């Protein structure tokens, strides 16, 4: 069961804004989940060997498929301006496309090196689109660590697609955000059971199914980090259905309810469709709640999922949030979440990592959610941590995954309580 609804929650809580050194992956990371979703797309990072290593090490442990991404390496002579990098890139892309006729969408992904030498990838994408149309559409976005944190890569990618979508006058629902196919199918099935069948997805699984867009399009976001995509869709005349995000039984119900209200679904039908999966979700969450109840949590800013997750963990799992850090706070998107999050935690935006580490060490929360680079040192200091990146790589949306989402947070606490009785013996043996 969820707590009573606070009227304003954290809506008016002053936000601690920090602009110092940050410890977050760059936007290239999004390629790892985007390439799995978009089956005829290819992501060509225009970057350095460092970028290639990041992708290979992140993807190497997580995928076993034919790669749909690669890196056009900028060599030292490119960086020094000794060769025409645009010509080199044209040649590289022509080679790739002749070898891979399955590619229908090509994304040129900018990186720190391409940004530093001011390589104009937008111009390159336009030139290549003209050369390879109609078989391949070439778009560009930046995943550079100078400009983006890790979930911003998906936002930049989706935002780059919006201006190229065809125009329509049809009244359609657009679901925005890359979900694993099986999870997306669950959402589509719930909506179809309510009679909402004119639904498209961005990104589509294949480019031939790309959504059209226009003044009668209404859209619902499935991820809280899609601020630029939200703005791009508004510019095309589409209207946003504001709602909490579909994490947990409550979040999923409120997200579905907002869409059902927009499409005039009768309350009886809504209740009939959602009752059983909601009950399953609540039961699954209850199992993890036994571990999470009354525990405290501290979020470093990483994925931009922090505020919706804090809402889920405090309202549905009985946790107490001490600090909820987010890289960016898009109020247009997060207002319904802030209204639900009970007053109490520090809400921080941006990062000054040393200051935040000092606060986290003082708080010594039962669980600290942070990036890989901070997790190991904090674990060594005896603090339980959760890697933020797992929350993006694991299916966690909607009713059927609500128990898994709660379990992700319960696991480090359970492991710690299982290991605790062994600790004195291990010390004695040393
Ligand atoms: S884009 Fe920048 S931060 Fe990301 S891997 Fe390449 S060099 Fe590193």
């Amino acid at each position: 069961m969820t707590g009573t609804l606070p009227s304003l929650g954290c809506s008016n809580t002053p936000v601690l804004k920090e602009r110092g050194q940050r410890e977050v992956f760059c936007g290239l990371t999004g390629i790892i989940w985007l390439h799995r979703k978009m089956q005829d797309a290819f992501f060509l990072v225009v970057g350095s060997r460092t970028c290639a290593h990041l992708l290979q090490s992140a993807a190497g442990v997580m995928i076993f498929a034919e790669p749909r991404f690669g890196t056009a390496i900028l060599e030292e002579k490119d960086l020094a301006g000794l060769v025409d990098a645009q010509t080199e890139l044209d040649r590289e892309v022509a080679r790739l496309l002749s070898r891979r006729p399955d590619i229908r969408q090509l994304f040129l992904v900018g990186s720190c090196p391409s940004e530093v030498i001011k390589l104009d990838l937008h111009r390159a994408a336009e030139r290549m689109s003209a050369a390879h149309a109609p078989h391949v559409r070439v778009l560009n976005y930046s995943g550079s660590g100078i400009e983006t944190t890790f979930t911003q890569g998906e936002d930049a990618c989706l935002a780059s697609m919006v201006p190229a979508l065809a125009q329509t006058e049809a009244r359609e629902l657009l679901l925005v955000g890359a979900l694993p196919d099986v999870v997306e199918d669950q959402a589509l099935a719930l909506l179809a059971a309510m009679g909402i069948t004119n639904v498209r997805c961005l990104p589509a699984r294949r480019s031939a199914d790309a959504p059209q867009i226009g003044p009668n399009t209404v859209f619902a976001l499935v991820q809280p980090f899609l601020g630029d995509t939200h703005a791009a869709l508004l510019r095309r005349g589409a209207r946003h259905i504001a709602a909490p995000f579909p994490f947990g039984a409550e979040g999923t119900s409120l997200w579905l309810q907002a869409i059902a209200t927009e499409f005039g679904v009768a309350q009886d039908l809504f209740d009939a469709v959602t009752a059983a999966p909601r009950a399953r979700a609540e039961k699954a969450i209850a199992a993890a709640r036994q571990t999470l109840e009354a525990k405290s949590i501290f979020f470093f800013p990483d994925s931009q999922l922090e505020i919706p997750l804090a809402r889920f963990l405090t309202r549905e799992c009985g946790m107490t949030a001490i600090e909820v850090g987010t890289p960016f706070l898009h109020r247009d998107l997060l207002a319904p979440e802030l209204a639900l999050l009970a007053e109490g935690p520090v809400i921080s935006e941006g990062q000054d990592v040393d200051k935040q580490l000092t606060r986290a060490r003082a708080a010594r929360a039962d669980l600290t959610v942070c990036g890989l680079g901070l997790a190991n040192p904090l674990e060594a200091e005896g603090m339980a941590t959760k890697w933020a990146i797992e929350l993006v790589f694991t299916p966690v949306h909607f009713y059927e995954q609500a128990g898994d989402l709660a379990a992700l947070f319960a696991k480090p606490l359970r492991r710690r309580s299982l290991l605790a009785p062994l600790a004195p013996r291990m010390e004695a043996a040393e």
Side-chain angles (χ1 to χ4, degrees):
M1 283 296 294
T2 56
T4 47
L5 199 72
S7 55
L8 280 174
C10 288
S11 302
N12 295 329
T13 300
V15 174
L16 173 62
K17 297 197 180 199
E18 297 201 312
R19 294 287 178 268
Q21 195 197 333
R22 61 188 192 195
E23 290 270 342
V24 190
F25 278 121
C26 67
L28 295 189
T29 329
I31 293 171
I32 306 303
W33 62 87
L34 287 168
H35 89 275
R36 274 188 274 186
K37 181 74 199 172
M38 299 157 75
Q39 292 163 16
D40 53 8
F42 193 96
F43 295 82
L44 185 66
V45 176
V46 184
S48 63
R49 291 186 198 284
T50 309
C51 310
H53 286 146
L54 170 88
L55 278 178
Q56 276 162 14
S57 54
V61 292
M62 294 177 192
I63 62 146
F64 303 93
E66 163 73 3
R68 284 193 289 269
F69 58 84
T71 310
I73 306 278
L74 292 166
E75 303 287 356
E76 275 173 25
K77 58 184 190 302
D78 301 304
L79 299 174
L82 299 176
V83 294
D84 181 353
Q86 294 273 7
T87 311
E88 288 279 301
L89 191 55
D90 283 1
R91 207 174 300 136
E92 185 77 25
V93 165
R95 253 200 314 261
L96 171 70
L97 294 179
S98 66
R99 208 174 58 231
R100 296 282 302 271
D102 55 307
I103 297 172
R104 305 303 304 271
Q105 294 181 86
L106 175 67
F107 291 93
L108 303 178
V109 188
S111 66
C112 303
S114 68
E115 204 170 293
V116 167
I117 63 166
K118 306 221 177 307
L119 191 54
D120 188 344
L121 292 183
H122 186 66
R123 193 159 60 93
E126 282 179 348
R127 191 176 62 240
M128 290 175 196
S129 264
H132 299 284
H135 188 71
V136 185
R137 185 189 291 277
V138 185
L139 295 169
N140 75 291
Y141 70 90
S142 173
S144 122
I146 301 168
E147 282 190 329
T148 59
T149 60
F150 82 110
T151 51
Q152 279 182 292
E154 176 178 336
D155 188 23
C157 174
L158 301 193
S160 79
M161 297 169 78
V162 173
L165 297 177
Q167 181 76 13
T168 180
E169 297 301 312
R171 174 155 165 78
E172 287 184 331
L173 171 64
L174 183 64
L175 302 187
V176 186
L179 292 173
D181 291 351
V182 60
V183 177
E184 190 175 274
D185 287 341
Q186 289 168 10
L188 294 172
L190 286 165
L191 293 167
M194 292 178 210
I196 305 170
T197 51
N198 46 347
V199 187
R200 309 283 203 112
C201 298
L202 181 72
R205 297 175 200 188
R206 306 196 75 83
S207 56
D209 300 324
Q212 300 178 331
I213 192 114
N216 297 313
T217 306
V218 286
F219 68 95
L221 302 176
V222 298
Q223 298 283 23
F225 48 73
L226 299 172
D228 287 354
T229 309
H230 169 265
L233 288 166
L234 294 184
R235 280 196 294 275
R236 290 291 307 266
R239 188 162 48 81
H240 178 215
I241 304 172
F245 289 89
F247 299 113
E250 182 190 41
T252 302
S253 297
L254 292 172
W255 185 88
L256 285 168
Q257 181 69 70
I259 296 172
T261 303
E262 169 70 31
F263 282 84
V265 175
Q267 195 61 42
D268 286 359
L269 177 58
F270 179 85
D271 292 342
V273 169
T274 55
R278 180 172 185 149
R280 274 199 301 278
E282 286 172 348
K283 190 170 169 212
I285 293 166
R289 182 172 175 137
Q290 292 171 1
T291 308
L292 298 173
E293 181 97 58
K295 299 288 196 308
S296 57
I297 188 158
F298 187 110
F299 283 93
F300 279 79
D302 267 283
S303 63
Q304 296 191 49
L305 300 180
E306 294 84 3
I307 290 173
L309 292 179
R311 180 264 301 159
F312 164 66
L313 292 167
T314 53
R315 291 175 62 83
E316 296 194 59
C317 301
M319 296 189 88
T320 304
I322 296 174
E323 176 162 340
V324 187
T326 178
F328 305 97
L329 183 52
H330 294 289
R331 280 206 179 260
D332 289 349
L333 276 52
L334 286 162
E337 292 285 354
L338 288 167
L340 289 172
L341 184 62
E343 276 184 89
V346 171
I347 308 284
S348 60
E349 182 186 18
Q351 190 167 45
D352 188 326
V353 72
D354 288 330
K355 286 186 187 163
Q356 201 167 26
L357 276 169
T358 304
R359 295 198 296 276
R361 286 182 174 123
R364 284 195 80 81
D366 294 304
L367 188 60
T368 302
V369 183
C370 57
L372 299 174
L374 297 179
N376 283 348
L378 291 178
E379 286 278 344
E381 293 172 30
M383 292 165 69
T385 62
K386 173 89 234 148
W387 292 351
I389 198 163
E390 267 187 84
L391 302 162
V392 181
F393 282 120
T394 311
V396 292
H397 290 75
F398 300 111
Y399 292 128
E400 307 304 337
Q401 284 65 238
D404 295 342
L405 176 58
L408 277 178
F409 292 93
K411 206 165 133 193
L413 294 177
R414 280 212 193 102
R415 189 181 53 222
R416 197 155 271 266
S417 67
L418 287 172
L419 289 175
L422 301 176
R425 272 185 273 159
M426 284 162 69
E427 271 170 28
E430 276 173 10

